[in-house]
Amino acid sequence: MTDLVLRGDRVLVDGQVRPASVAVVDGVIAALGARDADHGDTEEIKLPPQAVLLPGFIDSHVHINEPGTDWEGFATATAAAAAAGITTLVDMPLDCDPVTTSVSALETKTMAAQNQCVVDVAYWAGVVPGNIGNLAELAEAGVAGFKCFLTDSGNPDFGHLSPDELSTAMAEIAELGSVLLVHAESHDVIESSPPPGGSDYASFLASRPDAAEVEAVRLIVDSARESGVRVHIVHVSSARVLPIIADARASGVTVTAETCPHYLTFTAQDVPEGATEFASCPPIRPANNRELLWAGLSEGTLDMVVSDHSPCAPELKGGGDFGAAFGGISSLQIGPRVLWTQAQARGFGLPDLSRWMSARPAALAGFTDRAAIRAGMRADLCAFEPDTHEIVRGTDLLHRHDVTPYEGMPLRGSVLQTWVAGRSVYERRSHWPISRALGSVS
């Protein structure tokens, strides 16, 4: 018995937008057909002609920070995700208490998440100097993979790895057949750079120069070449690392890389005096760098785009002093629309958006049951209206805190409805001229 049929003029199937019907049984896509195909008597939803049915987005880089802080929580983060059309989050192991570097800490986190999440949540585990040699336990507990830092993480409970420790950890993770995500900034380069201070963004940018990313990425690919580990470089901000990644991949190193909407949208020249809501680590760089990142995404050197949603309490953003600001940008709910706004203006289409924000993050985290609209896949879906416009207001967002550098920015697109395993988890009634059938109210 079919549970639900979605019908639309615009459905993304095999990289093409075309008319189709999607039949869902027990949370799984059971069949695709022509728009008017007969799937039996069941509830039907007819998408409005301006909507496109997409696979649900997947954000594989999110800091939920629960338990132990009031920065973000599972309830608020997953509600914001659902409103963004995001159906799966992968949580980072940093800035919760305890940090996710042991099985007991993972159990504490998963218990905190119980009965709070409206979208699916998976977890990365942290690699720190104290748990190298014990990573198999975390892999057996079901983490999606591992994450480490090469410089100070800002959390004394989450220490960074030395080059020797990185090599040892890589060998262990290669043996486990897992993946290592690396925050690629060199500790030595940052320690030798001038510290940030005051209201001038230039001081913050100088404190984390391109050289920090370049040196770190060189170390990562050289170490990965020796160990054979699958490695992923998180939040690339400096385009200077792109040739290093491309050359490593061409020589047989299994390396992928991501960037974030803020690096593809803002430039250093855009940051106003004292606007510490723009502070992120690594930093937003100049305009020419942004365009090179877009080229790297277009060419495939950058595989995906993720939010790196990294919120904190507003009082930790430094009050206009970049030397006191916590580095992190809050953007979970608007990430897909931010990227679409920039991508559409550059001639990219919805298949590109879905590849960057769904298929490739799914592959990184090992999800084989989602991120495509085809029979046998989980019915994680998003009805997206690509041509609407809306101004960002932090107070309208569902994140726990409303501080965002996107405040007042016009964005393209809106999410009309989101389904996780065929269950509706978000519906924007005021913008949803939906047509239902067979016992449902039109």
Side-chain angles (χ1 to χ4, degrees), residues 164-184:
D164 287 345
E165 289 166 337
L166 176 67
S167 294
T168 302
M170 280 185 168
E172 183 178 2
I173 292 166
E175 185 69 22
L176 294 171
S178 190
V179 60
L180 178 62
L181 285 64
V182 188
H183 180 120

Side-chain angles (χ1 to χ4, degrees), residues 61 63 92 94 147-151 181-185 208 213 217 232-239 241 245 256-263 280-285 293 302 304-310 327:
H61 192 148
H63 297 262
M92 283 293 172
L94 182 69
K147 163 75 178 294
C148 72
F149 279 71
L150 298 184
T151 191
L181 285 64
V182 188
H183 180 120
E185 289 184 288
R208 307 187 88 95
E213 287 190 71
V217 170
H232 178 75
I233 299 167
V234 300
H235 51 47
V236 169
S237 82
S238 173
V241 307
I245 295 169
T256 53
E258 69 189 34
T259 192
C260 304
H262 43 278
Y263 302 128
S280 64
C281 301
I284 294 163
R285 302 193 187 277
L293 290 178
L302 294 169
M304 65 196 73
V305 182
V306 298
S307 70
D308 188 13
H309 177 68
S310 188

